[in-house]
Amino acid sequence: NFNENSAKIYADFGLLTSDKAITTDLKEVFKFLLDTSYKPSISKIWMSPFTTRKELNNRIDNEIDIAKNGGNGYLFFKMNSLEDKDIIDRLYKASQFGVEIKLLVRGICCLVPGLKGISENIEVVSIVGKYLEHARVYVFGNNGKNEMFIGSADCMERNLDRRVEVIVPIQDGDIKKTIETCIDLQWH
């Protein structure tokens, strides 16, 4: 979405990095784009249709385990659409175990927040403004050691299973703070 037309109406995050693990993984993405029979070998990024669903599931399950063991499970997802049934069911399960879940969903949201016994710990906010809010951010509390990711995939079956999408970890503390400030402002 970075081109001269969309740049006038889209708000998004992008990452410029020289991190060797990330750039090596991105080479694998491009090898796959050139030859879809190629099986990419990636280690740091998430790539749909290969690893994104599994990584999301594992991290949501980790937050459930943290909550089960008396910790503070926490999830914050910012995306355009949430319609994948498996992810929604997993978020409901996380809510039932006491994981605090905040979802900033601009468009389609098939999850119903605030249902007694099902989604009491889930809040959903949508913002629509002058600019098409396009960024995807995934934050996992990880027992106080927040993990943050940005990328192109929404929690939609097509984005997780049928398209090439990439999600990358944000490890730099200053970048994390900048993104946290943005999503906090948007949440409020």
Side-chain angles (χ1 to χ4, degrees):
N1 293 308
F2 293 114
N3 64 59
E4 63 276 4
N5 293 321
S6 65
K8 296 174 186 170
I9 58 169
Y10 279 35
D12 210 337
F13 293 124
L15 178 68
L16 297 175
T17 184
S18 61
D19 181 305
K20 289 287 186 208
I22 292 173
T23 58
T24 299
D25 283 356
L26 289 174
K27 287 178 189 174
E28 291 291 298
V29 172
F30 284 100
K31 285 180 186 177
F32 175 77
L33 291 172
L34 290 170
D35 175 7
T36 56
S37 67
Y38 178 75
K39 177 74 169 143
S41 175
I42 54 177
S43 63
K44 202 163 191 176
I45 67 170
W46 305 350
M47 180 185 173
S48 297
F50 301 103
T51 62
T52 304
R53 179 181 293 281
K54 183 181 89 156
E55 293 292 346
L56 278 169
N57 287 342
N58 288 345
R59 282 175 173 75
I60 294 169
D61 289 347
N62 183 57
E63 296 305 312
I64 291 170
D65 289 342
I66 289 167
K68 279 182 181 177
N69 292 310
N72 295 318
Y74 176 77
L75 298 166
F76 183 101
F77 292 176
K78 179 186 182 312
M79 65 193 92
N80 289 340
S81 297
L82 171 59
E83 62 83 35
D84 184 82
K85 184 180 179 342
D86 293 336
I87 296 293
I88 291 169
D89 287 345
R90 198 170 236 108
L91 292 173
Y92 283 152
K93 180 181 175 186
S95 173
Q96 292 163 20
F97 279 103
V99 175
E100 178 188 359
I101 302 169
K102 293 182 176 182
L103 303 172
L104 190 54
V105 185
R106 181 181 54 85
I108 298 166
C109 183
C110 296
L111 178 145
V112 180
L115 297 175
K116 188 165 179 61
I118 298 172
S119 58
E120 292 171 278
N121 293 310
I122 302 176
E123 292 180 81
V124 179
V125 171
S126 177
I127 57 171
V128 179
K130 179 179 177 181
Y131 299 103
L132 180 62
E133 186 48 50
H134 206 253
R136 281 76 163 194
V137 180
Y138 297 92
V139 179
F140 304 88
N142 197 29
N143 226 6
K145 301 177 205 112
N146 280 9
E147 291 183 292
M148 178 184 286
F149 299 83
I150 64 171
S152 60
D154 289 318
C155 288
M156 301 178 72
E157 184 182 352
R158 72 178 190 200
N159 287 176
L160 300 174
D161 299 329
R162 295 193 309 272
R163 285 187 173 175
V164 176
E165 305 276 356
V166 174
I167 293 179
V168 62
I170 300 298
Q171 297 169 303
D172 180 271
D174 291 336
I175 296 172
K176 270 188 179 178
K177 285 178 190 171
T178 298
I179 294 172
E180 285 169 355
T181 299
C182 290
I183 61 178
D184 188 55
L185 287 169
Q186 291 171 339
W187 180 259
H188 288 95

